[in-house]
Amino acid sequence: MSRTYKATGINLKSMPLGEADRLLTILTQEFGLIRAVAPGVRKQNSKIGGRSGLFVVNELLIAKGRSLDKITQAETLESYPALGQDLGKLAASQYLAEMAMCQALSEQPQTELFYLLNEHLKRLEQLPKSSGFSILAHLCHAAFHLLALAGVAPQVQACSLTANSLTPDFSTPDWQVGFSTSAGGTVNLSAWENASATGKNSDRNKSIKPDDVTNTKILPSTGRVAEAIGTGYRAIAHKQEKLVLDRRLNAAELTLLQHLSQANLPAIADLHHHDWLSIERILRQYVQYHFGRPIRSAALIDSYFASLPSPLTENHATV
């Protein structure tokens, strides 16, 4: 058996190792998530030093090791230098990298995840300097697409309780819908109130046994039942959990959420700055719930957007 293998991968995480090496976490098309040592890259005269940077896409030749594999050759295919030159872009890119590492599998091809992440990093790279809240819009768009690939995207087109479609109503003052992470997405407030009053959603609070769902497992970190799909495991429900209404959404916020499933972000990405802050918070809570761990880069997102000038009050016209 060959002691070397080739892979095309994007660097998602880097940490110092020893005196001159780096330990890289790499998302590859062919083998999923791998960890490999980049030897000597912290030396000034290293031939592959620049190729070990974050979000650099390389064609790699890797030697197998007893505990850690070692990169012996690297040829850069693509890099995104602008991501490291803008704090907002860097924070958004690290956020997406964390999501990818949460859902990527090892020793299995992850082609779709690789291309999806690469595409959204490219879009962030191409944003003009000082894009401000446009970065946040693109982050939300990418996060929704990653959730969709994992099979856990929130329901935003219909009520999660009744399956009736939801259409934003800009003609009615103070029109709102609810969002419940534990219910799986948006909910009609009347349906939510009726269900709460009659206890019709009590069945969803019962424990779900592994035998009730085919191809399932219990996620040890969260106690959730999960179903194997695509690139990872899809959470079905939390055991013994009461459904909670997390927040209420206005017509503009629901419209933005519903646009996130599109392949390209529409022109409204540059509008409704305050609403994009709300959308990111909603998606962040949803991501952390389903992946069972915090998004550490979210603290940098909070810090960055708190430092920006407060957006002007906007007229939420129909979009």
Side-chain angles (χ1 to χ4, degrees):
M1 182 180 294
S2 174
R3 298 297 300 171
T4 62
Y5 61 95
K6 292 182 178 181
T8 301
I10 179 169
N11 303 333
L12 299 186
K13 185 178 179 181
S14 172
M15 59 182 297
L17 183 67
E19 295 184 358
D21 303 342
R22 282 195 178 278
L23 179 61
L24 302 180
T25 302
I26 307 168
L27 176 64
T28 68
Q29 296 183 55
E30 302 86 351
F31 306 103
L33 207 62
I34 66 172
R35 299 172 77 216
V37 176
V41 295
R42 290 158 59 200
K43 294 180 179 179
Q44 193 170 10
N45 60 349
S46 171
K47 294 182 179 180
I48 63 172
R51 296 163 189 167
S52 64
L54 287 180
F55 314 120
V56 176
V57 183
N58 295 304
E59 187 173 349
L60 304 164
L61 182 63
I62 303 174
K64 294 180 180 179
R66 290 185 178 180
S67 56
L68 289 172
D69 294 351
K70 183 172 69 173
I71 298 171
T72 59
Q73 294 181 26
E75 180 180 350
T76 298
L77 303 178
E78 203 160 10
S79 63
Y80 303 111
L83 298 182
Q85 297 168 5
D86 183 297
L87 182 58
K89 291 182 180 182
L90 178 61
S93 301
Q94 290 178 331
Y95 191 118
L96 298 179
E98 285 192 61
M99 287 188 64
M101 287 188 287
C102 284
Q103 67 189 87
L105 299 178
S106 298
E107 300 181 359
Q108 294 189 35
Q110 300 287 273
T111 304
E112 290 184 338
L113 179 58
F114 174 88
Y115 280 112
L116 182 61
L117 178 62
N118 204 24
E119 172 61 26
H120 281 289
L121 291 177
K122 184 181 299 183
R123 295 183 186 187
L124 284 171
E125 167 84 5
Q126 293 172 348
L127 287 176
K129 290 184 178 180
S130 304
S131 294
F133 287 89
S134 291
I135 294 173
L136 197 61
H138 282 77
L139 170 61
C140 293
H141 192 222
F144 193 94
H145 283 191
L146 287 172
L147 286 168
L149 182 62
V152 293
Q155 171 61 264
V156 296
Q157 306 294 338
C159 173
S160 297
L161 298 178
T162 65
N164 294 329
S165 62
L166 294 173
T167 303
D169 184 356
F170 288 87
S171 64
T172 302
D174 301 325
W175 181 90
Q176 292 181 322
V177 296
F179 189 93
S180 171
T181 296
S182 51
T186 51
V187 293
N188 180 288
L189 290 176
S190 297
W192 178 271
E193 292 169 359
N194 290 338
S196 299
T198 60
K200 289 183 179 180
N201 61 3
S202 60
D203 288 343
R204 299 190 59 172
N205 300 333
K206 294 179 180 179
S207 298
I208 298 180
K209 299 178 181 179
D211 294 339
D212 295 334
V213 186
T214 60
N215 199 15
T216 62
K217 75 170 186 178
I218 301 293
L219 299 183
S221 61
T222 61
R224 287 178 293 183
V225 177
E227 177 184 5
I229 64 155
T231 59
Y233 284 88
R234 179 168 66 86
I236 302 299
H238 283 247
K239 300 172 65 178
Q240 299 291 353
E241 182 179 31
K242 182 178 180 181
L243 298 184
V244 175
L245 189 67
D246 299 314
R247 61 162 295 140
R248 297 167 186 260
L249 308 175
N250 60 32
E253 291 170 329
L254 178 60
T255 300
L256 296 181
L257 266 177
Q258 291 180 337
H259 278 297
L260 293 180
S261 61
Q262 298 181 12
N264 296 296
L265 199 61
I268 59 172
D270 293 328
L271 303 175
H272 305 282
H273 294 162
H274 178 73
D275 292 330
W276 281 120
L277 288 170
S278 299
I279 298 304
E280 188 279 321
R281 300 287 191 288
I282 291 170
L283 290 177
R284 183 194 308 181
Q285 180 176 349
Y286 194 87
V287 166
Q288 294 178 153
Y289 173 92
H290 280 283
F291 290 159
R293 65 183 70 179
I295 300 296
R296 298 183 183 276
S297 302
L300 191 55
I301 288 288
D302 291 338
S303 175
Y304 174 77
F305 287 100
S307 68
L308 294 182
S310 298
L312 298 175
T313 303
E314 303 176 44
N315 178 22
H316 296 308
T318 303
V319 290

